[in-house]
Amino acid sequence: MSLKQKLQSATSILGGGAVLFVGINIANGNEKFYRDFVMPVFRWVDPERAHVLAVKAAAWGLVPRSKYKDPPILHCKAMGLEFTNPLGMAAGFDKHAEAMNGLLKTGFGFVEVGSVTPEPQEGNPKPRVFRLTEDKAIINRYGFNSVGHDVVHQRLKERQKKAAHLPQDQRGIIGVNLGKNKTSPSAVQDYVDGVKKLGCFGDYLVINVSSPNTPGLRAMQGRQQLAELIEQVVATRDLLPCTPKPPVLVKIAPDLTQADKEDIAAVVMGKKGSVEGIIVTNTTITRPESLEGKHKGETGGLSGVPLKDMSTATVSDMYRLTNGKMTIVGVGGVSSGQDAYEKIKAGASLVQLYTAFAYEGPPLPSKIKRELEDLLKKDGFSSVSEAVGADHR
Ligand SMILES: Cc1cc2nc3c(=O)[nH]c(=O)nc-3n(C[C@H](O)[C@H](O)[C@H](O)COP(=O)(O)O)c2cc1C
C-alpha cells in the first residue's frame, strides 16, 4: 500500500469513527435511531471497512450498554459453564480478540473469538466480503485472516487477568475458535497447537472444520479424519495445566449429507476421546434460488436469513442423531427472539448470531432476549433449558 493509500484509508477510518462516535452517543441504544441512522451510515462504507470500524468501536467501548437485565428465565448451564443468557456472538466478528468486553456490554451472554490460526496470515485478496442487503445476508471469503496465536494469547491473557476481579455474572463467557493455516503441513498439529497455546485462556474451545474458504478444511468432517482430530485435540486438552479444563466443540457445515451427519454424530458420541458439544452451523456454499442481492454469484460462504432454515434443520438432525445428549449451539440466520426460540426447540442449548448484528447493530441482543423471554413465558416454560429440544417430544 502506498503512503497516499494509507493516508486515505486512515482518513476514512477516522471520519467513519467520528460519525460512529457521534451517532452512538446520540442513539444510546435506541433501536429506531440505530436502524434509521447509524446502520445506514455504516452501509455507505465498504463491508470489510465497516466490519473493522465496528470491531474498533466495540474494542474502545463506543457501544451502548444494554439496559436489559438478564432475567432468571434466560439463565442457563451448558458444558459445565453458567451463562446469564443463551445468546452469543458467533466466530468471525471478533477474529483477533479485540472486542470481547464491548460485545458483552451490548448484552451477549458469550463471545466466540477467532478463528485464530497458529501463524499470522493475510487471508484472501480483497474484496472478500459482500452485502446482500435485499436478502439480509452476507457472502464472505475472508479465508482466515488472522493475527495468529501469539497476539491472541496475549490479549486473552490480559483480559482474563482483568476479568478475574469482576463478579461472575459480569465476566461473560469467552470461546476460542481454532483454525488452521492455509499452507500448514499438518492440520491436526495446527489445532493441537491452538489447544496448547490458548486452551487455558478461554472458557471453551472450538475446532472449526467447516469454513468454506480454506482448501481441504471441510474434508476434516469426514469420519476417519474427524475421529483422529478429536482424539488428539481432546488428549491435548486433558493435559492442560488449568482447571477447569475447557470443553471442546466441533463446528460443522450446513451442507452435509445425511451420511455425513450420521458419521459426525457417531464420532462425537464415540468413546475415543469425546467432545462436549457441536456448533451448528457455519456458512453455506449453496445459493438458494430466492437470493436477490447483486453479489449472489460471489464465491464464499453465505450467512444470514437465507441460511436460517437450513441451519435449524441441521440442529434438529444432530439433536436426534445424538439422542439429545450433546450440547448443541445453534447458529445461522438468527435475527429475532422467534428465530432463537426455533433453534432452541429444535435442540440448541445456546444460540449465536453474526450477520443480523452487522445489519441491526448493538440494540439487537437486548431485542432478541426480550422477545425470547416473552415466547418462553407464553408457552409456559420456566427456563431456556426446559425448552431445549421441545420439538422432539
Ligand atoms: C464475515 C464473516 C466471517 C466469518 N468468519 C468465521 C470464522 O472465522 N470462523 C468461524 O467458525 N465462522 C465464521 N463465520 C461464520 C459465523 O460464525 C456463523 O457460523 C455464520 O455466519 C452463520 O450465522 P449468521 O447467519 O448469524 O451470520 C463468519 C461469518 C461471517 C459473516
Side-chain angles (χ1 to χ4, degrees), residues 51 89-93 95 112-116 128-130 136-145 177-179 206-213 251-252 279-284 301-308 311 330-335 352-358:
H51 177 193
M89 171 54 92
F93 180 83
K95 281 177 184 281
E112 190 171 308
V113 303
S115 297
V116 195
R128 51 193 181 175
V129 196
F130 306 88
K136 290 267 179 212
I138 289 175
I139 291 176
N140 93 83
R141 52 168 181 271
Y142 267 117
F144 286 166
N145 53 318
N177 181 306
L178 303 172
V206 182
I207 323 174
N208 174 18
V209 284
S210 48
S211 286
N213 304 311
K251 183 161 178 179
I252 65 170
I279 304 197
V280 187
T281 66
N282 215 309
T283 54
T284 177
L302 172 72
S303 58
V305 171
L307 170 66
K308 190 183 78 174
S311 137
V331 49
V334 172
S335 64
Q352 292 177 321
L353 60 83
Y354 177 165
T355 300
F357 189 81

Side-chain angles (χ1 to χ4, degrees), residues 316-327:
S316 192
D317 285 346
M318 295 314 294
Y319 184 84
R320 199 170 30 78
L321 291 167
T322 54
N323 304 318
K325 292 208 166 68
M326 184 67 52
T327 296

Side-chain angles (χ1 to χ4, degrees), residues 178 187-197 229 232-233 236:
L178 303 172
V188 174
Q189 193 56 47
D190 278 14
Y191 291 103
V192 165
D193 288 347
V195 178
K196 283 187 192 155
K197 185 87 188 187
L229 174 65
Q232 299 222 27
V233 161
T236 309

Side-chain angles (χ1 to χ4, degrees), residues 134-200:
E134 296 86 341
D135 309 294
K136 290 267 179 212
I138 289 175
I139 291 176
N140 93 83
R141 52 168 181 271
Y142 267 117
F144 286 166
N145 53 318
S146 176
V147 290
H149 284 171
D150 285 349
V151 173
V152 168
H153 170 253
Q154 197 51 38
R155 288 179 182 159
L156 289 174
K157 202 167 134 185
E158 271 164 30
R159 196 217 169 239
Q160 198 180 53
K161 213 159 62 189
K162 286 187 190 140
H165 304 293
L166 293 173
Q168 176 75 34
D169 65 339
Q170 285 173 37
R171 247 178 257 171
I173 298 280
I174 305 298
V176 182
N177 181 306
L178 303 172
K180 71 172 274 291
N181 279 117
K182 186 175 178 185
T183 55
S184 132
S186 161
V188 174
Q189 193 56 47
D190 278 14
Y191 291 103
V192 165
D193 288 347
V195 178
K196 283 187 192 155
K197 185 87 188 187
L198 304 173
C200 287

Side-chain angles (χ1 to χ4, degrees), residues 45 192 200 230 250 295 371:
V45 183
V192 165
C200 287
I230 287 178
V250 180
H295 294 296
E371 290 169 357

